Amino acid sequence: MSAGPAVQHDTAPVRAPQPHGAGRAPRRAGRTDRVREALRRALPALGLYAAARLSGMTVMAAWAWSIGKHPRTLLGHLWDGIWYAGIARDGYGLILPSPTTRGVIFNDLAFFPLFPGLVRTVAAVLPFTVVTAGLLVAWASAGAAAWGIYAVGERLYGRRVGTLLVLLWGLLPHAIVQTMAYTESLMTALAAWALYAAITGRRLWSGVLALLAGLSRPNAVAVAAAVCCAAALTLWQDRRSRRDWRVWTGAAIAPVGWAGYVVWAGFRSGGGPLGYFEVQRLWGSRFDFGRDAFRFIRHLIVARDYMAYYMAAAILAVALVALVYLALDRPPAALLVYVLVLTVIAVGGSSYFASKPRFLLPAFPLLLPAALAMAKARPRTIAMTAGALAGLSFFYGTYLLAVARVPM
């Protein structure tokens, strides 16, 4: 497994950071220039991503209006979005028994605090409701995530692959979630930039971003695992790095956000330091090494159910195949550990089968093999593939929000 990137020849590799001048002004100017140049290179990818998601939301909105539903409600106040809005408005403390399933208790401590905290801040600063603020935070996060995904793809394989990687992420069948008031876009943004920092040697930044990511979602522990793995590999390969405090500090703080909330929520729930996992169990969610998932797949084979479940099974199968191809391509260890942990959590968790593709939404490195294959194809082939993916994404996203009656 290689620790460094392999850059294709379709574009010049991104230059490593150059030494700055002695004064503060030159350092700031140099940093600003680099950010502007990086943004300039990413603009085509960001434009394609924006076009894809705006088109998807337009199709969904047209269908929603035609059946008497409001697009803003579907995007900003549906399923988990209702819980996030409640936390942003009133804080933690809501506990409700399930009206349909005996023994299931919904506790808002299951939801991590970063997204509702940002929503509360935006709603306090700007004249918006928490629903509108949630959408603004989600959309800004989606843009930051697209840029971070491009940065990783460009760093490893060049601009063409980086652009296609972003486009593929924006055209996933369940990509509509990226523009909902959910936490996947926020986690993906922090994860992508943490991974970029890790593979470019910015150890302290990778730790800080992993800490923040750990406050966004339960499966964001994958970011901390990736950053710690990258730091351990650096310490093993380069003895001089053992005297670099940034390597040690970045690895030490990476899991603090996730672990800190888990411990706090556990005590808040009355269950002690591990009480958070009891909160999750009462929601019906626990790690059972995939037994529940395999039982549900068997159910889909012998019985009929909602289309969302069959699509979820197909996406899981494709993700597992993509994981194999990614591993064979020998990416940086941080990327492989990141997607491996996300995949294990998604497949090994019980219940909420239709939500498993959403749990894999931050696992953008799984799209690298497809992006590499498309980069070698003719423009016509790329256009036809993107068109087919767009049709599937727009149709399925509309179905999930406006038609399906299964939890996302």
Side-chain angles (χ1 to χ4, degrees), residues 144-304:
W147 188 7
I149 291 170
Y150 172 82
V152 172
E154 180 196 45
R155 177 73 185 188
L156 295 177
Y157 300 106
R159 296 178 65 178
R160 184 180 179 87
V161 173
T163 300
L164 291 171
L165 185 63
V166 172
L167 181 61
L168 287 172
W169 190 67
L171 293 178
L172 287 171
H174 47 295
I176 191 70
V177 177
Q178 298 167 12
T179 42
M180 294 177 65
Y182 271 42
T183 55
E184 277 72 19
S185 290
L186 178 60
M187 174 186 160
T188 305
L190 293 167
W193 286 109
L195 292 171
Y196 178 80
I199 63 179
T200 55
R202 297 172 171 87
R203 302 301 178 191
L204 188 58
W205 271 112
S206 67
V208 171
L209 291 167
L211 184 153
L212 293 173
L215 293 169
S216 64
R217 287 190 51 76
N219 59 349
V221 67
V223 187
V227 169
C228 291
C229 173
L233 195 59
T234 298
L235 293 170
W236 179 57
Q237 293 179 337
D238 184 7
R239 292 185 177 181
R240 292 176 298 177
S241 65
R242 299 173 187 176
R243 296 190 297 270
D244 189 345
W245 65 271
R246 290 167 295 188
V247 177
W248 294 97
T249 304
I253 66 175
V256 168
W258 183 87
Y261 178 74
V262 166
V263 172
W264 177 85
F267 280 109
R268 174 72 180 265
S269 69
L274 299 180
Y276 173 81
F277 299 104
E278 177 65 11
V279 171
Q280 286 279 16
R281 190 191 67 79
L282 290 174
W283 268 82
S285 179
R286 66 188 187 281
F287 189 81
D288 66 355
F289 298 93
R291 287 192 295 269
D292 183 74
F294 285 113
R295 281 196 298 266
F296 199 88
I297 291 173
R298 184 175 58 185
H299 155 75
L300 294 178
I301 295 174
V302 302
R304 294 182 179 181

Side-chain angles (χ1 to χ4, degrees), residues 17-34:
Q18 299 296 319
H20 307 315
R24 289 188 176 181
R27 282 203 299 268
R28 291 176 180 174
R31 186 179 299 112
T32 302
D33 290 343
R34 289 196 302 275

Side-chain angles (χ1 to χ4, degrees), residues 43-385:
L43 279 179
L46 298 180
L48 287 173
Y49 176 77
R53 294 312 330 129
L54 286 172
S55 299
M57 286 194 295
T58 300
V59 172
M60 184 279 299
W63 182 263
W65 276 318
S66 71
I67 61 175
K69 296 183 179 181
H70 200 291
R72 176 178 171 272
T73 301
L74 295 178
L75 289 170
H77 206 244
L78 184 69
W79 300 114
D80 288 1
I82 299 173
W83 287 91
Y84 287 120
I87 296 169
R89 183 174 50 249
D90 304 318
Y92 287 101
L94 181 60
I95 302 175
L96 296 173
S98 170
T100 59
T101 306
R102 184 178 180 182
V104 173
I105 299 176
F106 301 136
N107 187 330
D108 60 8
L109 286 172
F111 299 94
F112 277 49
L114 183 58
F115 182 80
L118 292 173
V119 172
R120 186 184 185 96
T121 301
V122 171
V125 173
L126 301 176
F128 296 131
T129 64
V130 292
V131 174
T132 301
L135 290 174
L136 289 177
V137 172
W139 295 347
S141 299
W147 188 7
I149 291 170
Y150 172 82
V152 172
E154 180 196 45
R155 177 73 185 188
L156 295 177
Y157 300 106
R159 296 178 65 178
R160 184 180 179 87
V161 173
T163 300
L164 291 171
L165 185 63
V166 172
L167 181 61
L168 287 172
W169 190 67
L171 293 178
L172 287 171
H174 47 295
I176 191 70
V177 177
Q178 298 167 12
T179 42
M180 294 177 65
Y182 271 42
T183 55
E184 277 72 19
S185 290
L186 178 60
M187 174 186 160
T188 305
L190 293 167
W193 286 109
L195 292 171
Y196 178 80
I199 63 179
T200 55
R202 297 172 171 87
R203 302 301 178 191
L204 188 58
W205 271 112
S206 67
V208 171
L209 291 167
L211 184 153
L212 293 173
L215 293 169
S216 64
R217 287 190 51 76
N219 59 349
V221 67
V223 187
V227 169
C228 291
C229 173
L233 195 59
T234 298
L235 293 170
W236 179 57
Q237 293 179 337
D238 184 7
R239 292 185 177 181
R240 292 176 298 177
S241 65
R242 299 173 187 176
R243 296 190 297 270
D244 189 345
W245 65 271
R246 290 167 295 188
V247 177
W248 294 97
T249 304
I253 66 175
V256 168
W258 183 87
Y261 178 74
V262 166
V263 172
W264 177 85
F267 280 109
R268 174 72 180 265
S269 69
L274 299 180
Y276 173 81
F277 299 104
E278 177 65 11
V279 171
Q280 286 279 16
R281 190 191 67 79
L282 290 174
W283 268 82
S285 179
R286 66 188 187 281
F287 189 81
D288 66 355
F289 298 93
R291 287 192 295 269
D292 183 74
F294 285 113
R295 281 196 298 266
F296 199 88
I297 291 173
R298 184 175 58 185
H299 155 75
L300 294 178
I301 295 174
V302 302
R304 294 182 179 181
D305 218 311
Y306 290 103
M307 183 179 71
Y309 293 125
Y310 291 98
M311 181 64 78
I315 291 172
L316 283 180
V318 172
L320 291 174
V321 172
L323 178 60
V324 173
Y325 275 97
L326 179 67
L328 292 175
D329 197 47
R330 301 180 64 190
L335 267 67
L336 188 57
V337 169
Y338 172 68
V339 296
L340 184 60
V341 174
L342 285 178
T343 304
V344 168
I345 292 174
V347 175
S350 66
S351 303
Y352 305 103
F353 190 83
S355 299
K356 290 184 182 295
R358 175 168 65 86
F359 301 157
L360 284 174
L361 199 59
F364 67 91
L366 288 175
L367 299 171
L368 274 170
L372 285 166
M374 287 181 66
K376 300 174 183 177
R378 296 177 180 179
R380 181 179 178 181
T381 303
I382 295 175
M384 293 178 62
T385 302

